[in-house]
Coordinates of all heavy atoms in Angstrom, one line a residue:
V1 N 66.2 -95.1 184.9 CA 65.5 -95.0 183.6 C 64.6 -93.9 183.4 O 64.4 -93.3 182.4 CB 64.8 -96.4 183.2 CG1 65.8 -97.6 183.2 CG2 63.7 -96.7 184.3
S2 N 63.9 -93.6 184.5 CA 63.0 -92.4 184.4 C 63.8 -91.0 184.3 O 63.4 -90.2 183.5 CB 62.2 -92.3 185.8 OG 61.5 -93.5 186.0
L3 N 64.9 -90.9 185.0 CA 65.8 -89.8 184.8 C 66.4 -89.7 183.4 O 66.5 -88.7 182.8 CB 66.7 -89.6 186.0 CG 66.2 -89.4 187.4 CD1 67.4 -89.5 188.4 CD2 65.6 -88.0 187.4
A4 N 66.8 -90.9 183.0 CA 67.5 -91.0 181.6 C 66.5 -90.5 180.5 O 66.9 -89.7 179.6 CB 67.8 -92.5 181.4
L5 N 65.2 -90.9 180.6 CA 64.2 -90.5 179.6 C 64.0 -89.0 179.8 O 64.0 -88.2 178.7 CB 63.0 -91.2 179.8 CG 61.8 -90.8 178.8 CD1 62.2 -91.1 177.4 CD2 60.6 -91.6 179.2
L6 N 63.8 -88.5 181.0 CA 63.7 -87.0 181.2 C 64.9 -86.1 180.6 O 64.6 -85.2 179.8 CB 63.4 -86.8 182.6 CG 63.3 -85.2 183.0 CD1 62.0 -84.8 182.4 CD2 63.2 -85.1 184.6
F7 N 66.0 -86.7 181.0 CA 67.3 -85.9 180.5 C 67.3 -86.0 178.9 O 67.7 -84.9 178.2 CB 68.5 -86.5 181.1 CG 68.6 -86.1 182.6 CD1 69.3 -87.0 183.4 CD2 68.0 -85.0 183.1 CE1 69.4 -86.6 184.8 CE2 68.1 -84.7 184.4 CZ 68.9 -85.5 185.2
Y8 N 67.0 -87.1 178.4 CA 67.1 -87.2 176.9 C 66.1 -86.2 176.3 O 66.5 -85.5 175.3 CB 66.6 -88.6 176.5 CG 66.2 -88.7 175.0 CD1 67.2 -88.6 174.0 CD2 64.9 -88.7 174.8 CE1 66.7 -88.7 172.6 CE2 64.5 -88.8 173.5 CZ 65.3 -88.7 172.3 OH 64.9 -88.7 171.1
M9 N 64.9 -86.2 176.7 CA 63.8 -85.3 176.1 C 64.2 -83.9 176.3 O 64.1 -83.1 175.4 CB 62.5 -85.6 176.8 CG 61.9 -86.9 176.6 SD 60.3 -87.2 177.5 CE 59.3 -86.0 176.8
I10 N 64.8 -83.5 177.5 CA 65.3 -82.1 177.6 C 66.5 -81.7 176.7 O 66.4 -80.8 176.0 CB 65.6 -81.8 179.1 CG1 64.4 -81.9 179.9 CG2 66.3 -80.4 179.3 CD1 64.7 -81.9 181.5
I11 N 67.4 -82.5 176.8 CA 68.7 -82.3 175.9 C 68.4 -82.3 174.4 O 68.7 -81.5 173.7 CB 69.7 -83.4 176.3 CG1 70.1 -83.1 177.8 CG2 70.9 -83.3 175.4 CD1 71.1 -84.2 178.3
F12 N 67.6 -83.4 174.0 CA 67.3 -83.5 172.6 C 66.4 -82.3 172.1 O 66.7 -81.8 171.0 CB 66.7 -84.8 172.2 CG 66.4 -85.1 170.8 CD1 67.4 -85.5 170.0 CD2 65.1 -84.8 170.1 CE1 67.3 -85.7 168.7 CE2 65.0 -85.0 168.9 CZ 66.1 -85.5 168.0
T13 N 65.5 -81.9 172.9 CA 64.7 -80.7 172.5 C 65.4 -79.4 172.5 O 65.2 -78.8 171.5 CB 63.4 -80.7 173.6 OG1 62.8 -81.8 173.6 CG2 62.6 -79.5 173.2
V14 N 66.2 -79.2 173.5 CA 67.0 -77.9 173.4 C 68.0 -77.9 172.3 O 68.1 -77.0 171.5 CB 67.8 -77.8 174.8 CG1 68.8 -76.8 174.7 CG2 66.8 -77.6 175.9
Y15 N 68.6 -79.1 172.0 CA 69.6 -79.3 170.9 C 68.8 -79.0 169.5 O 69.3 -78.2 168.6 CB 70.1 -80.5 170.8 CG 71.0 -80.9 169.6 CD1 72.4 -80.3 169.5 CD2 70.6 -81.7 168.7 CE1 73.1 -80.6 168.4 CE2 71.3 -81.9 167.5 CZ 72.7 -81.4 167.4 OH 73.3 -81.7 166.3
A16 N 67.8 -79.7 169.3 CA 67.0 -79.5 168.0 C 66.4 -78.0 167.9 O 66.6 -77.5 166.8 CB 65.8 -80.4 168.0
L17 N 65.9 -77.5 168.9 CA 65.4 -76.0 168.8 C 66.5 -75.1 168.5 O 66.3 -74.0 167.9 CB 64.6 -75.8 170.0 CG 63.3 -76.5 170.2 CD1 62.7 -76.1 171.5 CD2 62.3 -76.3 169.0
N18 N 67.7 -75.3 169.0 CA 68.8 -74.4 168.9 C 69.7 -74.8 167.6 O 70.6 -73.9 167.3 CB 69.7 -74.4 170.1 CG 69.0 -73.6 171.2 OD1 69.0 -72.4 171.3 ND2 68.4 -74.5 172.1
T19 N 69.5 -75.9 167.0 CA 70.4 -76.2 165.9 C 69.8 -76.3 164.6 O 70.3 -75.8 163.5 CB 70.9 -77.6 166.3 OG1 71.6 -77.7 167.5 CG2 72.0 -78.1 165.1
F20 N 68.4 -76.8 164.4 CA 67.9 -77.0 163.3 C 66.9 -75.7 162.9 O 66.4 -75.1 163.8 CB 67.0 -78.3 163.3 CG 67.7 -79.4 163.6 CD1 67.3 -80.4 164.5 CD2 69.0 -79.7 163.1 CE1 67.8 -81.5 165.0 CE2 69.7 -80.9 163.5 CZ 69.2 -81.7 164.4
P21 N 66.7 -75.4 161.6 CA 65.9 -74.3 161.2 C 64.5 -74.6 161.6 O 64.0 -75.6 161.6 CB 66.0 -74.4 159.7 CG 67.3 -75.2 159.3 CD 67.4 -76.2 160.5
P22 N 63.9 -73.4 162.1 CA 62.5 -73.6 162.6 C 61.5 -73.5 161.4 O 61.8 -73.2 160.3 CB 62.3 -72.2 163.4 CG 63.3 -71.3 162.8 CD 64.5 -72.1 162.3
L23 N 60.3 -74.2 161.8 CA 59.2 -74.2 160.9 C 58.1 -73.2 161.5 O 58.0 -72.9 162.6 CB 58.6 -75.7 160.8 CG 59.4 -76.6 160.0 CD1 58.9 -78.0 160.2 CD2 59.5 -76.3 158.5
N24 N 57.2 -72.8 160.5 CA 56.0 -72.0 161.0 C 55.0 -72.9 161.6 O 54.3 -73.7 161.0 CB 55.5 -71.3 159.8 CG 54.3 -70.3 160.2 OD1 54.0 -70.2 161.3 ND2 53.8 -69.5 159.2
I25 N 54.9 -72.8 162.9 CA 54.1 -73.7 163.7 C 52.6 -73.5 163.3 O 51.7 -74.4 163.5 CB 54.3 -73.5 165.3 CG1 53.6 -74.7 166.0 CG2 53.8 -72.2 165.7 CD1 53.9 -74.7 167.5
E26 N 52.2 -72.4 162.9 CA 50.8 -72.1 162.5 C 50.3 -73.0 161.3 O 49.2 -73.2 161.3 CB 50.7 -70.6 162.0 CG 50.9 -69.6 163.2 CD 50.7 -68.2 162.7 OE1 50.4 -68.0 161.5 OE2 50.8 -67.2 163.7
N27 N 51.2 -73.5 160.5 CA 50.9 -74.5 159.5 C 50.9 -75.9 160.0 O 50.5 -76.7 159.2 CB 52.0 -74.3 158.3 CG 51.8 -72.9 157.7 OD1 50.8 -72.2 157.8 ND2 53.1 -72.3 157.3
N28 N 51.4 -76.1 161.2 CA 51.5 -77.6 161.7 C 50.8 -77.7 163.0 O 51.2 -78.5 163.9 CB 53.0 -77.9 161.8 CG 53.7 -77.7 160.5 OD1 53.4 -78.4 159.7 ND2 54.8 -77.0 160.6
V29 N 49.7 -76.8 163.3 CA 49.1 -77.0 164.6 C 48.5 -78.4 164.9 O 48.6 -78.9 165.9 CB 48.0 -75.8 164.8 CG1 47.3 -76.1 166.0 CG2 48.7 -74.4 164.7
Y30 N 47.8 -78.7 163.8 CA 47.1 -80.1 163.9 C 48.1 -81.2 164.2 O 48.0 -82.1 165.1 CB 46.2 -80.4 162.8 CG 45.6 -81.7 162.7 CD1 44.5 -81.9 163.6 CD2 46.0 -82.8 162.0 CE1 43.9 -83.2 163.7 CE2 45.5 -84.0 162.1 CZ 44.4 -84.3 162.8 OH 43.8 -85.6 162.9
G31 N 49.2 -81.2 163.4 CA 50.2 -82.3 163.4 C 50.9 -82.3 164.8 O 51.2 -83.3 165.5
F32 N 51.3 -81.0 165.3 CA 51.9 -80.7 166.5 C 51.0 -81.3 167.6 O 51.5 -81.9 168.7 CB 52.3 -79.3 166.7 CG 52.9 -79.0 168.1 CD1 54.2 -79.4 168.4 CD2 52.1 -78.4 169.0 CE1 54.8 -79.1 169.5 CE2 52.6 -78.3 170.3 CZ 53.9 -78.6 170.5
T33 N 49.7 -80.8 167.6 CA 48.8 -81.3 168.8 C 48.7 -82.7 168.8 O 48.7 -83.3 169.9 CB 47.5 -80.5 168.6 OG1 47.6 -79.1 168.3 CG2 46.5 -80.9 169.6
T34 N 48.5 -83.5 167.7 CA 48.3 -84.9 167.8 C 49.6 -85.6 168.2 O 49.5 -86.5 169.0 CB 47.8 -85.5 166.5 OG1 48.8 -85.0 165.4 CG2 46.4 -85.0 166.1

């Protein structure tokens, strides 16, 4: 279960960053940090 969660986070993050349009993180620093 530990490896499954780790693999999910890596795969989903890579997929989302490479598939969906990016946002300007400077406008979402507070939301991202929390």
Side-chain angles (χ1 to χ4, degrees):
V1 294
S2 299
L3 290 174
L5 179 60
L6 178 62
F7 289 153
Y8 159 79
M9 293 177 63
I10 294 174
I11 293 172
F12 185 79
T13 299
V14 171
Y15 173 78
L17 293 176
N18 286 278
T19 304
F20 306 135
L23 289 171
N24 186 356
I25 192 173
E26 293 181 358
N27 297 328
N28 302 304
V29 172
Y30 176 77
F32 174 80
T33 302
T34 54

